[in-house]
Amino acid sequence: MGAVVGKGDSPRQFSIHETKLEAKMVEAMKRRAVKGSVMKSFNSLILKFRKIDESLRKCKAIFEQFDEDSNGAIDQEEMKKCFYKLEVSFTDEEISDLFVACDINEDMGIKFNEFIVLICLVYLLKDDSNDVHTKLHMEMPDLEATFETLIDAFVFLDKNKDGYVSKSEMVQAINETTTGERSSGRIAMKRFEEMDWDKNGMVNFKEFLFAFTRWIGIDDLEDEDED
């Protein structure tokens, strides 16, 4: 359903490969949705911002380790080496798809905020592999719990469990938090617009992750490094 909604309205040209990857994300999220969500409100996610922020920023050392030429971005070859070290098994096509999907700035390099999204997507897509979870835990302690929180938050927002978050679902989620407040609709629309970067009216997990890195200020960390 969601995989075809509004794609023609997107300002960015979507490739077949990215669409295939999106389909895999959606199916993986549907499987997770079967377990339900422990999150009770959007505010409960906001309260976790600081803890999640601290956990994700610890990935900086891992990112710098894989950024072999220290240019502030991971290219496809460095990404392949990253996956090899993490013992993540992907085909060359899947690696290319992930690279294109996470290189949101289209500058042929995965920056730190994009790296966080990449690793979280790997965690989601390899949900059936205990090996990758064990390796990620060894390399980045506490990260598994953080990724589980982010997945759980998306499941909470995705009320109809179709693997996407719509405007109406976002409004419903915000209304559950801010019952009776006149501004709740505006808040929901603002949050949705921040997530729906391709402006197609539906938000997938990747878009949610990119919005989340902005909400907690990961982009600000990159700005500080450039100054």
Side-chain angles (χ1 to χ4, degrees):
M1 171 185 142
V4 296
V5 174
K7 288 297 183 189
D9 297 328
S10 170
R12 177 179 172 184
Q13 185 65 41
F14 278 78
S15 69
I16 292 174
H17 297 314
E18 191 168 7
T19 302
K20 284 167 60 178
L21 177 64
E22 182 175 342
K24 291 177 184 177
M25 282 192 291
V26 169
E27 288 307 311
M29 194 55 72
K30 285 180 180 178
R31 289 195 296 271
R32 296 304 298 267
V34 173
K35 303 176 184 178
S37 173
V38 299
M39 199 159 290
K40 302 302 181 185
S41 70
F42 193 74
N43 269 357
S44 61
L45 174 62
I46 293 174
L47 291 173
K48 296 176 185 287
F49 274 16
R50 182 174 180 180
K51 185 175 182 179
I52 294 173
D53 180 33
E54 291 174 352
S55 174
L56 294 179
R57 286 175 191 253
K58 290 177 182 177
C59 298
K60 190 69 172 178
I62 303 297
F63 172 79
E64 291 172 348
Q65 176 185 334
F66 293 131
D67 178 20
E68 294 180 348
D69 57 9
S70 301
N71 69 343
I74 294 174
D75 60 32
Q76 279 207 52
E77 287 305 311
E78 290 171 331
M79 186 170 132
K80 286 180 181 179
K81 292 178 182 177
C82 166
F83 283 179
Y84 178 78
K85 182 166 185 181
L86 293 176
E87 298 178 9
V88 178
S89 178
F90 279 118
T91 66
D92 286 346
E93 181 185 16
E94 288 171 331
I95 290 174
S96 178
D97 294 348
L98 278 165
F99 187 87
V100 171
C102 294
D103 181 21
I104 197 170
N105 294 325
E106 299 183 335
D107 55 6
M108 298 307 295
I110 302 296
K111 294 185 177 179
F112 180 53
N113 66 318
E114 296 168 331
F115 176 72
I116 288 172
V117 173
L118 170 69
I119 295 298
C120 192
L121 289 182
V122 168
Y123 180 86
L124 173 70
L125 294 172
K126 291 296 182 180
D127 183 42
D128 57 347
S129 170
N130 290 326
D131 292 342
V132 66
H133 287 191
T134 300
K135 193 66 178 178
L136 283 172
H137 180 73
M138 288 170 57
E139 293 287 341
M140 292 167 271
D142 305 325
L143 203 55
E144 184 172 349
T146 297
F147 287 163
E148 285 294 335
T149 297
L150 293 173
I151 291 170
D152 190 59
F154 189 88
V155 170
F156 166 74
L157 295 174
D158 180 17
K159 302 300 183 183
N160 68 357
K161 312 308 177 194
D162 69 346
Y164 290 87
V165 175
S166 66
K167 288 182 182 179
S168 60
E169 288 173 325
M170 193 65 194
V171 169
Q172 182 179 344
I174 296 294
N175 282 342
E176 290 171 357
T177 299
T178 56
T179 305
E181 292 187 20
R182 292 183 179 180
S183 62
S184 61
R186 291 197 301 274
I187 293 171
M189 284 299 95
K190 179 175 175 56
R191 289 286 177 256
F192 185 84
E193 288 169 3
E194 290 167 349
M195 293 191 295
D196 186 22
W197 65 271
D198 64 5
K199 309 305 177 189
N200 73 343
M202 302 294 284
V203 171
N204 62 32
F205 186 53
K206 181 191 75 173
E207 292 175 307
F208 168 75
L209 291 174
F210 272 114
F212 194 87
T213 63
R214 291 195 298 270
W215 292 343
I216 63 175
I218 293 295
D219 284 350
D220 294 340
L221 179 63
E222 288 194 327
D223 294 339
E224 289 169 9
D225 290 344
E226 291 173 1
D227 288 343

